[in-house]
Amino acid sequence: MNQSKDSIPTFTQIRMAAKRIAPFAHRTPVMQSYWYNQITGAALFFKCENFQKVGAFKFRGACNAILSALPEQAERGIVTHSSGNHAQAVALASRMSGYKATIVMPRNAPKVKTDAVRGYGADIIFCEPTIEARQHAADEIIRKSGALFIHPYNDPAVIAGQGTAAMELLEEVPDLDLIVAPVGGGGLISGTLIAAKSMSPAIRVIGAEPELADDAYRSIHAGTIQPVLRTDTIADGLRTSLGELTFSVMQTYLDDLLTVSEEAIVNHMRTVWERMKIIIEPSCAVPVAAVAEKMGKIAGKKIGIIITGGNVDLDHLPWSK
Amino acid sequence: MNQSKDSIPTFTQIRMAAKRIAPFAHRTPVMQSYWYNQITGAALFFKCENFQKVGAFKFRGACNAILSALPEQAERGIVTHSSGNHAQAVALASRMSGYKATIVMPRNAPKVKTDAVRGYGADIIFCEPTIEARQHAADEIIRKSGALFIHPYNDPAVIAGQGTAAMELLEEVPDLDLIVAPVGGGGLISGTLIAAKSMSPAIRVIGAEPELADDAYRSIHAGTIQPVLRTDTIADGLRTSLGELTFSVMQTYLDDLLTVSEEAIVNHMRTVWERMKIIIEPSCAVPVAAVAEKMGKIAGKKIGIIITGGNVDLDHLPWSK
């Protein structure tokens, strides 16, 4: 079944995405933390997409988009732009499908991510770390080769793929009161909103983003998409502005949006490493910090948190000088 | 049922330990790694005791020993000496049982471990990092208070508790060809040997230790317990000599013992962090390095590895300057 490139995916499309990617993606574990339960008084359920293929939930969306593409177009090559995890996801999903991938990446992308993209056999074209520069470089490749562009978030097939994480989480813990997910371009939170509100109509879904990249917060309050003004938050996966599709989903369904400081992000990233013994990247610490520090009465609540990825440059940890 | 302090535990005692600790200890997950399977050609099954209470398998043994103790003695206090994880394990298991614990720790124990011991409400007495200094300090406390001493490894109840990890692993993956575990004082490998050889008579069990702390290798070849000559291996959990009980079990059942370099330990510790997204401490990387670099023909084999713990000082990682 084909799908318009500018329509919001339905829950049926998320269920189809889940079937499509099942042979390739991991069904990731849901973990709990005695320590976080103690300090919040709530019961937290961490959906661990750091254990996903390529170390991030992004594999779900990229895999679904490539598997749903028309082969005659995908054979001309796959192209995308990404600050990191979507790049790896497109690279691996392309290789698995036998297509050639070219990835446009910002010059300041972590080395661990550029190495991984090359490891999956994709070519990299570097550009300035702005959304305009990325899109321009991708457009050039498409113009020359006719390659298929997989947007990192503003694509219904990508959103549907990302929604499968929340779907699995709710299959495992059906009575969640709340799900919190980070907001970058909005692909994950959009898929999460569609899946969660379809499966559990009373559930609340809350987005979390860095104070330094609070474009979604400003966009929701302004009623129009506002750009990211700075690209220096440590949460390198959340340095992007919303797309029209993702903004539309958020306007319709999102219950709340919280912002957290850089200090809180680093603090909770380190705390998760120390207490839960799992490697999470800074972007994952954003919803954790929001739950631990920015929510009011959550004692007794069952709260799902999407842990988005674990790709960190171990030579440059945020707490080391 | 009481048990002599100088007899090797039986598999029945491991099964009883499993029942005894079940309400307190986690049944930890078994993880696989696509990357390690690729480079070895084998199927590796990692029993993740880094997700155990206190972040290490040591909780199993300490918990079993304290729960099997006579209350009238335990009420005089619990005392032990340990380079780290056993200390936390005794501290938490004591608090859970309502007993006061005093822990003798070497001055060079990682801060993350001393902080944790204090966090579990135990008192710490520091000593020089030698087995003699530790034992002397513990003896002083026992002489004054009549406290119950829980040896880190040379105790049948501790060995039986540690054996429950391999028991769970074999319940989950019954057809393992081989299990590899690190060797420090020998408590884990002894419990692993008794459980594995009872559950699966044809299985091979191999110990792994740092070249810089190859006392078990020398002991097995000499036929008598040889002391650790240096205490500077990065694998801080493996800086101890064998005990008489653990040496006896190893002499009877151990199939082989491999040693690995410091460089290989750091390399595989980092690789597990990067590829598997889990925090493991250096001691865990010892069996991983042994499997990846020191074994001959393992293609097609199913190999269990006990991942012993995840307590690492994040301010002092071995690959950072």
Side-chain angles (χ1 to χ4, degrees), chain A residues 153-166:
Chain A
Y153 46 88
N154 205 46
D155 176 319
V158 170
I159 293 171
Q162 318 305 32
T164 59

Side-chain angles (χ1 to χ4, degrees), chain A residues 270 277 279 310-311 315 319, chain B residues 270 277 279 310-311 314-315:
Chain A
R270 181 169 176 147
K277 312 299 180 193
I279 307 261
N311 293 323
D315 288 319
W319 49 80
Chain B
R270 181 170 178 149
K277 312 299 181 194
I279 307 263
N311 293 323
L314 294 176
D315 289 321

Side-chain angles (χ1 to χ4, degrees), chain A residues 11-25 27 60 64 160-161 163-165 167-168 171:
Chain A
F11 181 52
T12 301
Q13 281 155 341
I14 294 177
R15 279 199 299 223
M16 288 171 61
K19 270 196 190 157
R20 204 177 276 129
I21 70 174
F24 306 99
R27 188 177 177 101
R60 296 176 181 267
N64 186 49
T164 59
M167 191 185 103
E168 290 177 6
E171 283 171 354

Side-chain angles (χ1 to χ4, degrees), chain A residues 31 50-51 270 273-274 276-279 310-311 314-315 317 319, chain B residues 31 50-51 270 273-274 276-279 310-311 314-315 317 319:
Chain A
M31 291 184 79
N50 51 337
F51 296 139
R270 181 169 176 147
W273 284 40
E274 285 186 344
M276 298 181 67
K277 312 299 180 193
I278 59 174
I279 307 261
N311 293 323
L314 294 176
D315 288 319
L317 296 175
W319 49 80
Chain B
M31 293 184 76
N50 51 337
F51 297 140
R270 181 170 178 149
W273 285 39
E274 285 185 345
M276 297 182 67
K277 312 299 181 194
I278 59 174
I279 307 263
N311 293 323
L314 294 176
D315 289 321
L317 296 175
W319 48 81

Side-chain angles (χ1 to χ4, degrees), chain B residues 206-221:
Chain B
I206 293 178
E209 64 181 355
E211 287 170 6
L212 292 192
D214 66 343
D215 58 295
Y217 182 88
R218 287 182 286 108
S219 301
I220 292 288
H221 286 84

Side-chain angles (χ1 to χ4, degrees), chain B residues 261-274:
Chain B
S261 69
E262 296 293 295
E263 188 188 353
I265 297 170
V266 175
N267 175 23
H268 285 281
M269 176 179 167
R270 181 170 178 149
T271 302
V272 167
W273 285 39
E274 285 185 345

Side-chain angles (χ1 to χ4, degrees), chain A residues 170-223:
Chain A
L170 278 163
E171 283 171 354
E172 195 157 332
V173 193
D175 55 344
L176 289 177
D177 298 296
L178 183 66
I179 295 183
V180 189
V183 179
L188 177 68
I189 192 80
S190 296
T192 301
L193 282 163
I194 297 162
K197 298 286 183 176
S198 303
M199 293 173 76
S200 179
I203 202 170
R204 299 186 73 224
V205 178
I206 292 179
E209 63 180 357
E211 287 170 5
L212 291 192
D214 67 343
D215 58 295
Y217 181 88
R218 287 182 285 108
S219 300
I220 292 290
H221 286 85

Side-chain angles (χ1 to χ4, degrees), chain A residues 37-311:
Chain A
N37 288 351
Q38 288 288 105
I39 65 157
T40 60
L44 308 190
F45 297 87
F46 298 79
K47 176 65 172 170
C48 287
E49 290 294 301
N50 51 337
F51 296 139
Q52 188 50 266
K53 289 262 176 80
V54 314
F57 77 93
K58 292 273 186 179
F59 183 74
R60 296 176 181 267
C63 192
N64 186 49
I66 291 170
L67 292 173
S68 356
L70 296 171
E72 54 266 36
Q73 189 179 7
E75 276 159 12
R76 291 187 208 123
I78 311 284
V79 63
T80 194
H81 57 70
S82 162
S83 64
N85 287 333
H86 178 65
Q88 297 181 50
V90 168
L92 179 59
S94 297
R95 189 173 73 177
M96 283 170 17
S97 316
Y99 303 131
K100 179 182 177 300
T102 305
I103 316 290
V104 177
M105 297 186 82
R107 291 187 200 289
N108 59 353
K111 182 170 180 298
V112 67
K113 298 189 176 181
T114 56
D115 282 354
V117 165
R118 287 201 184 92
Y120 294 128
D123 293 334
I124 299 179
I125 306 282
F126 285 103
C127 72
E128 294 308 308
T130 67
I131 191 73
E132 295 77 15
R134 291 182 191 192
Q135 192 63 58
H136 178 75
D139 287 346
E140 276 296 287
I141 298 160
I142 294 161
R143 194 176 55 77
K144 285 179 189 161
S145 63
L148 173 68
F149 179 68
I150 311 270
H151 194 279
Y153 46 88
N154 205 46
D155 176 319
V158 170
I159 293 171
Q162 318 305 32
T164 59
M167 191 185 103
E168 290 177 6
L169 174 57
L170 278 163
E171 283 171 354
E172 195 157 332
V173 193
D175 55 344
L176 289 177
D177 298 296
L178 183 66
I179 295 183
V180 189
V183 179
L188 177 68
I189 192 80
S190 296
T192 301
L193 282 163
I194 297 162
K197 298 286 183 176
S198 303
M199 293 173 76
S200 179
I203 202 170
R204 299 186 73 224
V205 178
I206 292 179
E209 63 180 357
E211 287 170 5
L212 291 192
D214 67 343
D215 58 295
Y217 181 88
R218 287 182 285 108
S219 300
I220 292 290
H221 286 85
T224 55
I225 296 175
Q226 303 296 310
V228 169
L229 300 175
R230 305 166 57 159
T231 57
D232 55 350
T233 172
I234 191 169
D236 56 285
L238 309 179
R239 290 172 185 155
T240 42
S241 305
L242 300 176
E244 286 175 21
L245 272 183
T246 57
F247 180 55
S248 167
V249 177
M250 290 169 69
Q251 278 191 306
T252 309
Y253 296 114
L254 194 68
D255 289 295
D256 202 357
L257 208 142
L258 302 170
T259 62
V260 297
S261 70
E262 296 293 295
E263 188 187 353
I265 296 170
V266 174
N267 176 24
H268 285 280
M269 176 178 166
R270 181 169 176 147
T271 302
V272 167
W273 284 40
E274 285 186 344
R275 296 283 173 173
M276 298 181 67
K277 312 299 180 193
I278 59 174
I279 307 261
I280 65 165
E281 56 189 47
S283 303
C284 311
V286 171
V288 179
V291 169
E293 300 191 4
K294 286 296 187 93
M295 288 192 181
K297 293 178 187 168
I298 55 170
K301 301 283 187 198
K302 297 180 84 164
I303 302 177
I305 296 178
I306 314 279
I307 292 294
T308 48
N311 293 323

